[in-house]
């Protein structure tokens, strides 16, 4: 362990005032729109998620009221279809994912020993995209145009022919808008865990929660892109009649199912991992011991991340896939139970080795065990092909998925909320209420869903709104409905308990659970800046609260008036530089409004106005770069006696650079999903081969070659520009690169004009989509070129200062690679 | 299998009960992680998978020369084509006739959205997907009426997508098949 000498102790109150001036949100309503602080944004994410949870819960009660009797005369079919579709969509996209994002945003810097997330403005942007998109989706229900095709939106039911109204567009556009927040969170979480840990905290000794969230973020980076691509393709088909899923023109509805479940199954583990992280954090502390098998749990997390991408086909066992392929996916589905079992037994073993204390979070953990184990085992049953054919799409599956999601997500999350509530509110709970809420939820849940297994085995399918011919289903349904109400009361009481604790609880003392992790090494409630000075190996756990508050750790106070946090080397945790983070700004909310204007115009069907939304977004995004550079060299910053580190403007491997890499992983997965679509449709879909190409080959080849060549020249120009960044030549090279970048875009416009009509056949639509993907990236790459050119002309380059050039180079290389690959695919199609 | 799932659940919960009672003890990595987490889990899963594969192979559609019927799904009805005893095809709506006591295969098609052919008492379901033909093998051991339904949500009339499968004694075919006019042969 590398020791860093402590800083001189100062007066804690003085430090607090100095830091709070810099880190606190603006007062009042203005603060709501301008805050970028992870504490504020994380809590807001969680609170909003619980509001959507309440809305989804009311919808669930409507469903149970409808099914309580076999006549079901309460809602008509159309409304019932909207209600169950919205229940699933809200719980999945507006509750579960945002809640875990909120927990991660709020908790990660605290548990890792940092002052904020890596990209504070991105946190705020994600929040507003979530708020605006989620509100739109919910409002559609009020206007009676909510999505009504089931939460997985199978085509052809969701295409323009069978859903002519705006209902499906609300889902596709609304969810994609909300997913911007998921992608933003995934990038942020990855970078924060890799680069913003406490000094000399190696990856191999991070708190387990960080490992879980790293796994979650990695899965989000790879799991969400197929859904995002699928939604874009389906919206293109609905809006412009590009036939990706239309069998009569070379499309295939099965493509949607593959893309959806490529996301949909990892999604289950995306939800489960943070919840399991909370369990692994809480169980050892409340058992007065340490976790059993840290290494095995990390291996299990990595195993889950890997295996969960090999199971998506098990949602499609009944679509007519060869039995040997089914066997492969069946085996993978069963195998994924192994890492889960390893964790379960590690937790039980931990409790066996310690002394369990039945505090409130532990009750929820017991609720988790009582629910999730059964849900997991019915999952293994469903992984078996013969049984799946029998139970698929019955109430049995409904029961199974609620056992897994409520058991594996809601119970651990409720444990986490009660666990961290003293740090959030600074107050201790009022005893009695929480226990009553737990028992109501637990009994209500099992009363509702245990019997639903039986209802399913009796043959009741999902999603019917009435069952006049099946009196035998009535009693079990009535039981489910009655207990559903009990469960709803439990959740209401839980919410009431939280409010009571916030308002009337007595003040909590520091570290009330005697937890070892760094999140408790701060006064309660957590201050806006988290740590007055940042932890070192010397002050590496919850006992360091006083030395850290007195400024004996790293980077004490805010003497320069900047929001500063430490950035470390990804693997070892060696301190590398100091990041200067953004302060309160309204830029994120305006950017979200600009993005929202695009989605809103698309939703309104004003397709010719929608590009205005893109232009507005580009204008807003351009302004993000304003604080990303400095016009002169800055002196190194005193971090500790004998340890001076440069600010991030003088480094190449900044947080933003790591963030670019994480983003490109996700972006590359979007492209890979598009290539999957090309391959799948060419091989599997009927109505292939496509009709002969109608365009003129020679001009098209010429334009393609010109685009690729000028793009290749940009890579060279950017490299030269970075090489001579201190000299006047840099401006020449950035300008040359910018011009070549624009030229490549113009060539692409020419290509677009020469393409076959995308409405003719899915092959032509896919080519247009490939070109569209390349063009979008061309625009972003050109924006980066413009930024780099501006940096060169405004003195933002220097011997150590590289401005936007590294990001530009990276992104442009990516653009060149995907464009060349796309061209290769089209050439291969033509030649073969 | 349900019994097994129940037993394992009860067993894990009993283990949990044991773990939360009593004083701190030495928890062994070997026992908990390797023994229970890996060896126990893999054994159960291995047995389960092998048996499922074996059952799956038996019930898979093989496309051999058994009775072949066609099911066309569209919102919100089923049209069936089945061979009369004389061999000519007979078209019916929402009623499917098959001989009892022998396997039959259903060619499943859809002309609009995705549906799923399912007769719960006979076995699993198979989707009807536009542009694809799926083959499903079933057998009704005894003559009688079996309720069938679509098992894939298809829109507002979804719950009306029901049909009846009538398994008849091959020695005594129903009049609906015998009296039906001769049509063009099955493709």
């Amino acid at each position: 362990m590398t020791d860093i000498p402590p800083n001189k102790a100062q007066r804690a109150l003085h430090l607090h005032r100095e830091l709070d001036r810099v880190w606190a949100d603006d007062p009042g309503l203005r603060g709501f729109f301008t805050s970028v602080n992870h504490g504020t944004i994380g809590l807001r994410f969680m609170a909003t998620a619980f509001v959507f949870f309440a809305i989804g819960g009311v919808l669930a009660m409507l469903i149970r009221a409808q099914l309580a009797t076999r006549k079901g005369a309460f809602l008509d079919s159309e409304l019932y279809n909207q209600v169950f579709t919205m229940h699933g969509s809200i719980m999945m996209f507006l509750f579960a994912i945002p809640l875990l994002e909120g927990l991660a945003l709020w908790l990660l810097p605290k548990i890792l020993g940092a002052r904020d997330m890596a990209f504070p403005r991105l946190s705020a942007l994600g929040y507003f995209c979530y708020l605006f998109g989620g509100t739109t989706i919910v409002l559609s229900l009020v206007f009676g145009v909510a999505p009504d095709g089931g939460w997985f939106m199978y085509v052809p039911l969701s295409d323009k022919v069978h859903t002519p109204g705006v209902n499906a567009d609300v889902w596709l556009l609304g969810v994609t808008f909300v997913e911007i927040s998921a992608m933003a969170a995934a990038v942020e979480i990855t970078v924060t865990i890799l680069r913003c840990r406490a000094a000399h905290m190696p990856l191999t000794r991070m708190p387990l929660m960080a490992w879980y969230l790293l796994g979650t973020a990695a899965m989000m980076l790879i799991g969400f892109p197929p859904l995002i691509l699928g939604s874009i393709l389906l919206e293109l088909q609905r809006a412009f009649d590009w036939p990706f899923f239309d069998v009569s023109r070379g499309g295939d509805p099965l493509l949607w199912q593959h893309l959806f479940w490529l996301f949909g199954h990892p999604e289950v583990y995306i939800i489960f991992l943070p919840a399991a992280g909370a369990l692994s954090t809480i169980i050892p502390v409340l058992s007065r011991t340490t976790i059993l098998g840290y290494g095995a749990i990390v291996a299990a997390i990595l195993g889950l991340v890997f295996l969960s991408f090999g199971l998506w086909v098990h949602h499609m066992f009944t679509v007519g896939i060869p039995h040997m392929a089914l066997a492969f996916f069946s085996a993978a589905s069963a195998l994924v139970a192994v890492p889960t079992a390893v964790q379960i037994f590690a937790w039980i073993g931990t409790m066996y080795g310690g002394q369990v204390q039945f505090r409130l979070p532990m009750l929820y953990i017991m609720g988790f065990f009582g629910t999730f184990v059964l849900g997991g085992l019915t999952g293994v049953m469903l992984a078996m092909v013969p049984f799946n054919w029998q139970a698929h799409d019955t109430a049995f599956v409904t029961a199974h998925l609620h056992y897994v999601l409520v058991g594996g997500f809601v119970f651990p999350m409720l444990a986490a909320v009660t666990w961290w509530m003293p740090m959030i509110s600074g107050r201790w709970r009022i005893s009695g209420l929480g226990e009553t809420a737990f028992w109501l939820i637990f009994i209500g849940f099992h009363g509702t869903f245990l019997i639903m297994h039986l209802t399913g085995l009796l043959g009741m399918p999902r999603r019917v709104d009435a069952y006049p011919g099946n009196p035998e289903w009535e009693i079990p349904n009535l039981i489910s409905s009655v207990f559903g109400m009990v469960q709803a009361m439990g959740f209401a009481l839980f919410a009431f308990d939280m409010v009571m604790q916030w308002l009337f609880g007595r003040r909590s003392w520091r570290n009330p659970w005697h937890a070892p992790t760094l999140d408790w090494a701060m006064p309660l409630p957590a201050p806006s800046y988290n740590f007055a000075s940042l932890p070192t190996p010397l002050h590496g756990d919850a006992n360091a609260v006083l030395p850290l508050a007195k400024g004996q750790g790293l980077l004490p106070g805010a003497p320069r008036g900047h929001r500063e946090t430490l950035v470390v080397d990804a693997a070892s945790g060696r301190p590398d530089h100091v990041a200067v983070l953004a302060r309160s700004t309204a830029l994120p909310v305006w950017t979200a409004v600009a993005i929202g204007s695009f989605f809103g115009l698309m939703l309104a069907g004003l397709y010719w106005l929608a590009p205005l939304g893109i232009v507005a977004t580009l204008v807003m995004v351009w302004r993000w770069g304003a604080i990303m550079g400095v016009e002169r060299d800055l002196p190194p910053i005193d971090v500790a006696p004998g340890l001076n580190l440069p600010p991030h403007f003088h480094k190449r491997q900044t947080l933003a650079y790591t963030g670019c890499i994480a983003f490109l992983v996700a972006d590359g997965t979007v492209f890979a999903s598009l290539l999957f679509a090309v391959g799948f449709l060419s091989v599997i879909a009927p109505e292939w081969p496509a009709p002969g190409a109608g365009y003129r080959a020679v001009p098209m080849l010429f334009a393609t070659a010109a685009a690729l060549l000028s793009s290749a020249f940009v890579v060279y120009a950017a490299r030269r520009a970075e090489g001579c960044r201190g000299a006047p030549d840099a401006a020449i090279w950035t300008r040359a690169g910018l011009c070549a970048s624009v030229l490549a875009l113009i060539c692409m416009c020419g290509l677009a004009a020469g393409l076959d009509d995308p409405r003719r056949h899915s092959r032509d639509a896919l080519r247009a989509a490939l070109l569209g993907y390349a063009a979008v990236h061309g625009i972003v790459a050109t924006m980066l070129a413009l930024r780099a050119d501006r940096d060169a002309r405004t003195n933002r380059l220097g011997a150590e200062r590289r401005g936007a050039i590294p990001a530009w180079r990276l992104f442009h290389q990516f653009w060149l690679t995907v464009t060349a690959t796309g061209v290769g695919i089209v050439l291969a199609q033509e030649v073969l | 299998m349900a019994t097994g799932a129940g037993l394992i659940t009860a067993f894990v919960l009993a283990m949990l009960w044991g773990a939360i009672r009593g004083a701190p003890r030495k928890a062994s990595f070997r026992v908990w992680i390797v023994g229970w987490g890996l060896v126990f889990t893999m054994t159960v899963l291995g047995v389960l998978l092998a048996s499922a594969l074996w059952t799956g192979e038996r019930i898979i559609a093989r496309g051999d020369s058994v009775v072949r019927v066609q099911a066309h799904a569209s919102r919100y009805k089923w049209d069936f084509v089945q061979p009369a005893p004389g061999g000519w095809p007979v078209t019916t709506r929402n009623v499917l006739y098959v001989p009892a006591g022998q396997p039959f295969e259903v060619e499943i098609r859809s002309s609009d959205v995705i549906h799923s052919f399912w007769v719960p008492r006979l076995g699993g379901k198979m989707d009807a997907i536009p542009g694809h033909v799926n083959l499903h093998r079933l057998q009704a051991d005894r003559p009688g009426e079996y309720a069938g339904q679509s098992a894939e949500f298809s829109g507002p009339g979804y719950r009306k997508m029901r049909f009846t499968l009538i398994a008849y004694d091959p020695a005594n075919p129903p009049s609906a098949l015998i009296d039906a006019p001769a049509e063009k042969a099955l493709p």
Side-chain angles (χ1 to χ4, degrees):
Chain A
M1 193 176 286
T2 322
D3 280 331
I4 303 173
N7 275 305
K8 205 159 68 339
Q10 309 178 37
R11 279 179 51 224
L13 191 62
H14 167 76
L15 278 179
H16 168 76
R17 286 192 182 135
E18 178 179 294
L19 278 157
D20 203 48
R21 248 198 317 276
V22 174
W23 287 85
D25 297 332
D26 294 339
L29 191 63
R30 191 184 150 71
F32 180 83
F33 292 107
T34 59
S35 172
V36 295
N37 190 305
H38 81 98
T40 312
I41 302 283
L43 287 184
R44 219 189 268 168
F45 250 108
M46 287 195 270
T48 312
F50 275 111
V51 170
F52 283 118
F53 180 69
I55 296 171
V58 169
L59 296 179
M61 290 303 100
L62 293 182
I63 295 174
R64 285 316 328 162
Q66 169 83 359
L67 293 180
T69 56
R70 75 186 107 127
K71 288 273 183 356
F74 170 62
L75 302 167
D76 63 20
S77 259
E78 273 81 10
L79 197 54
Y80 181 77
N81 295 345
Q82 293 189 12
V83 167
F84 77 70
T85 302
M86 288 292 283
H87 169 70
S89 305
I90 287 179
M91 289 305 193
M92 211 45 121
F93 296 105
L94 303 184
F95 165 64
I97 301 274
L99 179 63
L100 72 88
E101 287 162 15
L103 180 70
L105 291 184
W106 178 80
L107 179 65
L108 264 179
K110 296 178 166 60
I111 207 166
L112 292 173
R115 286 198 178 120
D116 205 330
M117 294 291 286
F119 310 115
R121 292 183 296 176
L122 201 57
S123 317
L125 172 68
Y127 175 74
F128 286 110
C129 288
Y130 163 50
L131 183 69
F132 297 160
T135 310
T136 312
I137 295 177
V138 169
L139 280 183
S140 73
L141 195 60
V142 178
F143 294 112
V145 290
D148 56 1
W151 80 274
F152 35 74
M153 295 291 291
Y154 275 0
V155 276
L157 185 58
S158 58
D159 68 13
K160 200 80 182 172
V161 180
H162 300 96
T163 307
V166 79
N167 312 49
D169 302 308
V170 169
W171 194 99
L172 294 168
L173 295 166
V175 167
T176 305
F177 193 17
V178 171
E179 289 334 323
I180 292 176
S181 73
M183 295 318 297
V187 169
E188 264 203 295
I189 294 170
T190 311
V191 176
T192 305
I193 296 175
L194 290 179
R195 304 294 308 275
C196 296
R197 301 192 306 270
H200 296 292
M201 180 196 277
L203 273 182
T204 47
R205 277 205 305 278
M206 294 196 292
L208 271 177
M209 189 70 181
W211 272 112
Y212 278 103
L213 287 173
L214 188 60
T216 309
M219 290 175 73
M220 286 168 81
L221 287 178
I222 303 192
F224 275 91
L227 174 71
I228 292 174
L229 178 81
S231 303
I232 293 173
L233 296 186
L234 183 49
E235 186 55 33
L236 282 173
Q237 171 167 337
R238 288 184 56 88
F240 305 117
D241 197 24
W242 293 13
F244 298 105
F245 307 102
D246 179 357
V247 270
S248 65
R249 284 177 290 165
D252 194 332
L254 284 182
L255 174 62
W256 171 263
Q257 295 196 14
H258 279 290
L259 292 175
F260 186 86
W261 291 117
L262 260 170
F263 148 81
H265 202 86
E267 151 89 355
V268 176
Y269 294 93
I270 289 171
I271 289 175
F272 173 65
L273 279 184
L279 295 173
S280 288
T281 307
I282 301 172
I283 287 176
V285 182
L286 284 186
S287 302
R288 296 277 158 265
T289 179
T290 50
I291 190 86
L292 175 71
Y294 177 99
I297 290 182
V298 172
I301 296 168
L302 299 178
L304 268 180
V305 171
F306 181 74
L307 284 174
S308 68
F309 286 99
L311 330 164
W312 80 94
V313 172
H314 81 211
H315 294 269
M316 303 167 59
F317 277 172
T318 59
V319 301
I321 287 174
H323 191 232
M324 274 338 275
L326 291 188
F328 171 79
F329 285 105
S330 180
S333 306
L335 205 58
V336 82
V338 174
T340 314
V342 165
Q343 292 173 73
I344 299 253
F345 287 111
W347 294 325
I348 298 182
T350 303
M351 289 192 263
Y352 176 86
Q355 176 82 50
V356 176
Q357 299 178 307
F358 277 95
R359 317 286 285 273
L360 185 58
M362 204 62 186
L363 274 186
Y364 282 105
I365 289 172
M366 291 298 135
F368 154 80
F369 276 107
T371 311
F372 185 75
V373 174
L374 187 59
L377 284 165
T378 50
V380 174
M381 289 165 74
L382 283 172
M384 301 303 131
V385 175
F387 182 79
N388 185 289
W389 281 355
Q390 191 60 34
H392 184 84
D393 266 319
T394 66
F396 188 93
V397 172
T398 316
H400 158 74
L401 71 91
H402 281 88
Y403 263 79
V404 174
L405 293 176
V406 175
F409 181 73
V410 176
F411 278 122
M413 277 300 174
L414 295 183
V417 169
T418 51
W419 177 259
W420 275 293
M421 198 60 193
M423 196 189 294
I424 294 170
S425 66
R427 292 174 187 276
W428 193 245
R429 65 190 194 83
I430 299 159
S431 60
L433 280 181
E435 284 82 355
T436 317
F438 166 77
W439 285 110
L440 282 177
I441 294 172
F442 187 76
I443 294 168
F445 176 81
H446 284 271
T448 311
F449 291 104
L450 192 61
I451 196 149
M452 203 179 280
H453 291 106
L454 178 69
T455 322
L457 292 179
L458 285 176
M460 180 167 173
R462 295 164 85 171
R463 299 174 171 182
V464 290
D465 58 337
Y467 42 96
N470 296 81
E472 74 275 16
W473 298 343
E474 195 159 35
I475 295 290
N477 268 301
L478 185 62
I479 295 175
S480 288
S481 297
V482 169
F483 279 99
M485 302 297 159
V486 175
Q487 196 184 345
M489 282 190 284
F491 281 114
L493 189 61
F494 182 89
F496 180 71
D497 183 27
M498 289 301 113
V499 175
M500 287 292 109
Q501 175 170 356
W502 200 300
L503 295 179
F504 302 117
R506 67 162 171 74
R507 304 218 45 119
S508 171
W509 51 79
R510 284 175 191 164
N511 198 358
W513 311 106
H514 306 291
T517 41
L518 275 170
D519 43 337
W520 298 99
M522 57 180 75
L524 302 187
S528 55
Y529 50 84
N530 290 344
F531 302 97
S533 62
L534 297 175
T536 64
L538 206 60
H539 305 119
D541 60 25
N543 293 325
V545 56
L546 281 180
L548 291 182
K550 286 196 270 184
Q552 288 174 285
L554 308 181
L555 267 181
R560 284 158 296 275
H562 293 146
R563 294 193 177 183
E564 293 168 339
T565 195
L566 189 70
V567 179
V568 300
D569 172 68
S572 66
R574 182 181 46 75
D576 186 68
H577 64 269
V578 173
V580 180
L581 301 177
R583 300 183 66 161
S584 292
T585 163
L587 202 49
V589 65
W590 284 117
T591 309
V593 167
I595 300 173
S597 71
F598 168 74
F599 281 102
L601 290 167
M602 286 294 289
L603 190 58
L606 303 169
Y607 302 126
W608 296 110
L609 281 176
L612 283 181
I614 298 178
V615 172
T617 307
L618 290 179
V619 170
M620 295 318 294
V621 168
W622 171 257
R623 302 182 52 174
W624 285 51
I627 66 153
M628 285 174 153
V630 282
E631 281 75 27
R632 57 188 171 81
D633 285 328
L634 298 175
I637 295 168
D638 285 335
V639 171
L643 181 63
N644 295 324
L645 294 177
H648 75 269
F649 305 109
H650 295 208
K651 297 294 281 192
R652 192 169 202 278
Q653 302 290 332
T654 56
L655 293 177
Y657 193 78
T658 315
C660 266
I661 296 174
F663 172 77
L664 288 180
V665 168
D667 200 359
T669 314
V670 174
F671 187 69
S673 308
L674 187 55
L675 294 188
F676 171 82
V678 174
F680 181 82
L681 289 184
S682 339
V683 175
I684 304 284
E687 303 299 325
W688 281 70
Y695 51 71
R696 283 180 300 161
V698 176
M700 293 296 271
L701 271 176
F702 181 76
T704 309
L708 284 176
L709 279 178
S710 37
S711 187
F713 174 76
V714 179
V715 173
Y716 174 74
R719 198 165 70 96
R720 290 297 301 268
E722 187 171 358
C724 58
R725 60 190 170 272
D729 282 0
I732 297 172
W733 284 111
T734 53
R735 183 56 60 91
L738 177 61
C739 294
S741 203
V742 172
L743 182 64
L745 268 182
I746 293 170
C747 295
M748 287 195 166
C749 293
L751 277 177
L755 272 190
D756 287 321
D757 184 357
R759 289 172 294 188
R760 194 173 63 149
H761 190 272
S762 73
R763 182 201 58 189
D764 303 322
L766 284 167
R767 284 181 185 174
L770 280 170
L771 182 61
Y773 180 91
V776 166
H777 287 73
I779 292 171
V780 178
T782 308
M783 294 269 293
L784 281 165
L786 194 62
R787 182 84 249 171
D789 188 51
R790 179 65 78 83
D791 285 349
R793 274 151 218 285
T794 51
N795 239 344
R796 281 185 166 198
L797 300 183
E800 297 301 327
R801 290 174 290 128
R802 295 158 200 263
I805 295 181
W808 173 36
R809 282 183 66 183
L810 188 67
F811 195 88
H812 199 95
Q813 285 162 0
F814 176 81
W815 181 36
L816 183 59
T817 312
V818 292
T819 310
T821 313
V823 169
I825 294 283
V826 174
L827 285 181
Q829 273 183 335
E830 287 298 312
V831 173
L832 294 177
Chain B
M1 191 158 54
T3 327
L7 279 180
I8 294 178
T9 308
F11 176 70
V12 172
L13 291 181
M15 196 183 255
L16 179 69
W17 182 252
I20 61 180
R21 322 277 313 172
R25 291 142 289 197
K26 175 96 187 69
S28 145
F29 181 85
R30 255 247 230 54
V31 172
W32 287 100
I33 309 284
V34 180
W36 289 111
L38 290 176
V39 177
F40 167 73
T41 316
M42 302 265 256
T43 314
V44 172
L45 290 176
V47 172
L48 206 53
L49 262 182
S51 69
L53 251 181
W54 189 68
T55 327
E57 268 311 312
R58 272 190 312 145
I59 63 173
I60 200 86
R62 282 184 286 273
D64 51 9
S65 60
V66 293
V67 176
R68 176 73 69 99
V69 299
Q70 296 176 354
H72 293 264
S74 56
R75 299 208 293 179
Y76 298 96
K77 58 186 185 296
W78 291 91
D79 289 309
F80 296 105
V81 182
Q82 56 255 296
W88 62 84
V90 176
T91 307
T92 52
R93 175 158 294 179
N94 292 338
V95 185
L96 170 61
Y97 296 93
V98 293
Q102 52 180 293
F104 61 94
E105 293 195 348
V106 196
E107 285 176 29
I108 303 166
R109 291 184 177 82
S110 164
S111 54
D112 43 32
V113 305
I114 296 176
H115 306 277
S116 193
F117 176 93
W118 188 31
V119 184
R121 281 165 63 203
L122 296 190
K125 52 187 74 81
M126 186 58 77
D127 289 353
I129 299 172
H132 295 261
V133 182
N134 278 332
L135 212 53
H136 195 37
R137 187 187 182 95
L138 293 169
Q139 171 166 348
D141 289 329
R142 258 179 295 283
E145 288 196 4
Y146 299 83
Q149 65 200 49
S150 172
E152 186 67 55
F153 180 69
S154 51
Y158 168 50
R159 81 180 143 87
K160 295 178 207 125
M161 275 205 70
R162 303 185 147 223
F163 60 91
T164 310
L165 182 144
I166 297 179
Y168 58 85
D169 181 356
N172 181 19
S175 54
L177 287 188
I178 299 171
D179 302 342
E183 293 174 32
K184 62 180 191 304
L186 278 171

